[in-house]
Amino acid sequence: MKKVIPIIVLIIFLAAGVGVYLYIENIESENTKLENKMKTASKAYFEEYVSANDSVNMYKITLEDLENANKNGEEYDLKGLEKCDKTNTFANVTINYKNGKAKDAQVELKC
């Protein structure tokens, strides 16, 4: 009986460790999905509403900008971003000056 108790405790700790690991992986996966939604919507917003002739090499697009565009007829997929801060959740879109298109976007989530 004395040998069984440490084995049970070890099994409990291992199960708890696996549970915590899976929980953290799920949260990271959700954040990646939300970042991808912001990145995609921000690049499309840039293409539609921003002039590449501006003298900046990076353009900040907030979640509020994207939601306002949706109110005006756009259809950006922002599902899952409802609880995020509207002004502090943003994407910095990098401009490709050769063709004036959005090259990349770095997302900052505040959810």
Side-chain angles (χ1 to χ4, degrees):
M1 184 70 173
K2 290 181 181 179
K3 292 181 180 181
V4 173
I5 292 175
I7 292 173
I8 292 173
V9 170
L10 181 64
I11 291 171
I12 291 172
F13 278 120
L14 286 174
V18 169
V20 168
Y21 173 77
L22 292 175
Y23 176 74
I24 290 172
E25 284 295 314
N26 185 36
I27 288 175
E28 288 178 3
S29 174
E30 284 297 315
N31 283 344
T32 301
K33 287 178 186 176
L34 293 177
E35 285 178 7
N36 287 337
K37 284 184 178 188
M38 272 297 292
K39 186 181 285 191
T40 301
S42 295
K43 284 180 166 182
Y45 179 92
F46 176 84
E47 300 290 333
E48 184 69 27
Y49 294 103
V50 179
S51 169
N53 295 330
D54 293 342
S55 62
V56 294
N57 63 348
M58 194 173 289
Y59 190 82
K60 182 177 179 179
I61 299 172
T62 64
L63 179 57
E64 184 176 40
D65 293 333
L66 297 172
E67 287 180 344
N68 288 337
N70 275 355
K71 289 177 186 175
N72 292 325
E74 295 294 335
E75 295 183 11
Y76 301 126
D77 180 14
L78 304 177
K79 187 173 182 177
L81 295 164
E82 296 88 2
K83 294 180 182 178
C84 297
D85 187 280
K86 306 298 182 215
T87 56
N88 291 324
T89 297
F90 61 89
N92 284 321
V93 177
T94 306
I95 303 166
N96 180 342
Y97 281 109
K98 291 181 181 177
N99 60 14
K101 304 276 185 194
K103 180 169 48 173
D104 192 19
Q106 294 180 333
V107 175
E108 182 72 34
L109 293 177
K110 297 290 182 190
C111 301

